[in-house]
Amino acid sequence: MANDTDTPNIDPTLIAEPLRRAIGDRYLTYALSTIMHRALPDARDGLKPVHRRILYAMRELRLSPTGGFRKSAKITGDVMGNYHPHGNQAIYDAMARLAQDINVRYPLVDGQGNFGNIDGDNPAAERYTEARLTVAAEALMEGLTENAVDFRPNYEGTLEEPVVLPATFPNLLANGSSGIAVGMATNIPPHNLDELCDACIHLAKKQNSELVRDDTLIEMVKGPDFPTGGTIVEPQESIAEAYRTGRGGFRVRAKWEVEDLGRGQWQVVVTEIPYQVQKSRLIEKLAEVIQTKTGPILADVRDESAEDIRIVLEPTSRNVDPDVLMNMLYRNSDLETRFSLNMNVLIDGVTPKVCSLKEVLR
C-alpha cells in the first residue's frame, strides 16, 4: 500500500489539456497576431503597424520636410524603444523601403545617403544614412493634433500612439502594399494619385455609394501606375474584372525604342523595366539568353544606365525584325512579368477581407 509521501506534488494552477488543442489554440493566436499586427495593411491609411509607428516617431522627433535630417540609427532606436519592440534591422528595412522611389510611388520618407537602388543593392547601414518626412507623410498625419483618430497606450503603457493615421489621401492604393500572413497574403500595386482622388470625390458626392457603378470607377482609375514605368499589356476586360473582384493580375512589359545607327544598322534601347525587377538580375538573364543561344537573334546586351534606365540590345543581323526580337525576349527574360493583384486588407483594423476597388476607396 502506497504511503502519502509517494503522492506526486501537482501544482493546482496547472491545466491539463490535449496537446492537439494546446498547439491549435496557440497557433491560432500567432496567426491572428501575424494577420492583424504585421502582414496586412489597414484599409483606412494603407499602413502596417511598423510603418505607422515609424512615421509617428519621426513626427515626434520633428523631422518635417522643411527641417533637418536625423541619423537613421536615432530614428530606428526611438521607434524600437517607444513603439515597436522588434529588431532594429527589421525597422530600418521598413523605413528604407518607404524612402525608395523605385518601390513606393509617393515616398513617405526623404532619405539622404545610400538607400538602395534598382540594381538590388541594399541600403547602407543605419549609422551612415539620414532621413526626414516627406510632404506626403505629413498629409497622412494631418489632423493628429485635432483629435481626428483614437490613440492607445504603447506596448509598455508609458506613451500613446495612434491606432490609425487620419490619411488625407488614399495611401493604400497610391503606394500599394504587399505582405504574407498565415493562410493569407496581400499584394496591391501603386496607382496614380490624381485618378484616385477623382474616384474618391465621385464616391463622396453620391449620397449612396452603393449606387456608384464599378465600371465608372474603373474608367477613372485606369490601372496601376508603377514607379519604374513599363507598359501594361492586359486586356481592359481583364483589368476591370480584377478590380471588381479584388483578385487578378497584370502583365507588365519593358518600354523600348529602336535607335537608328545609320547604314541600316539599329539597336533596341530599353528605357523602363517592369516593377520589382532588379536591373542587375535582368542583365544577367539577358546575357544567359545569349550564352545558351536561347535567343539566337540577340548578339549583345549592354547596361549604359546612369540616372535613367538605358539597356542596349544589339541584334545579330540588321535584317532581324525588332518586334520579333523583343517578343522572344519577353518569353525568355523579365522584360515581361506578371503582377498578381490580391486586395486583402484589414477593414477597420480588425477584419481581413478581399475588397473590390470600390470597397477600398469607400
Side-chain angles (χ1 to χ4, degrees), residues 97-281:
R97 189 181 182 279
L98 294 181
Q100 293 172 339
D101 57 6
I102 52 171
N103 278 318
V104 183
R105 183 70 181 80
Y106 303 97
L108 303 177
V109 172
D110 182 9
Q112 186 168 265
N114 174 16
F115 273 86
N117 57 31
I118 200 164
D119 279 324
D121 296 332
N122 292 324
E126 56 187 358
R127 62 185 179 274
Y128 298 124
T129 60
E130 297 177 334
R132 65 183 178 187
L133 293 168
T134 62
V135 175
E138 276 206 328
L140 279 182
M141 293 184 280
E142 197 176 306
L144 277 179
T145 53
E146 294 150 31
N147 205 23
V149 293
D150 293 331
F151 278 71
R152 64 181 169 213
N154 69 342
Y155 68 95
E156 58 182 4
T158 55
L159 296 166
E160 290 210 316
E161 61 174 332
V163 175
V164 65
L165 297 184
T168 55
F169 71 94
N171 178 59
L172 176 68
L173 289 168
N175 276 326
S177 185
S178 65
I180 299 171
V182 176
M184 59 180 67
T186 186
N187 205 30
I188 303 170
H191 293 79
N192 184 282
L193 192 54
D194 283 351
E195 295 175 2
L196 294 175
C197 289
D198 287 344
C200 284
I201 291 165
H202 180 73
L203 263 179
K205 281 181 178 175
K206 298 288 182 182
Q207 291 184 342
N208 185 356
S209 58
E210 295 294 337
L211 299 177
V212 177
R213 293 169 58 244
D214 286 302
D215 293 343
T216 308
L217 295 175
I218 292 164
E219 281 174 22
M220 294 177 169
V221 183
K222 297 175 176 62
D225 186 12
F226 296 114
T228 53
T231 307
I232 295 171
V233 290
E234 203 66 30
Q236 191 58 42
E237 307 80 57
S238 175
I239 294 174
E241 184 61 23
Y243 280 135
R244 269 195 291 269
T245 59
R247 290 186 193 275
F250 309 96
R251 280 184 303 141
V252 187
R253 283 181 179 171
K255 197 170 184 181
W256 56 278
E257 56 195 34
V258 177
E259 209 169 72
D260 188 5
L261 302 175
R263 296 185 181 179
Q265 303 288 334
W266 57 270
Q267 62 188 18
V268 168
V269 177
V270 175
T271 54
E272 295 175 6
I273 62 176
Y275 185 51
Q276 292 177 336
V277 169
Q278 293 180 2
K279 179 161 64 69
S280 57
R281 291 267 178 88

Side-chain angles (χ1 to χ4, degrees), residues 31 36 38 46 61 91 122 129 154 156 171 205 234 240 264 281 316 319 323 329 349 356 362:
M36 294 175 63
R38 190 182 303 175
L61 286 168
I91 295 168
N122 292 324
T129 60
N154 69 342
E156 58 182 4
N171 178 59
K205 281 181 178 175
E234 203 66 30
R281 291 267 178 88
T316 50
N319 298 323
D323 288 313
L329 293 177
S356 67
R362 189 166 55 203

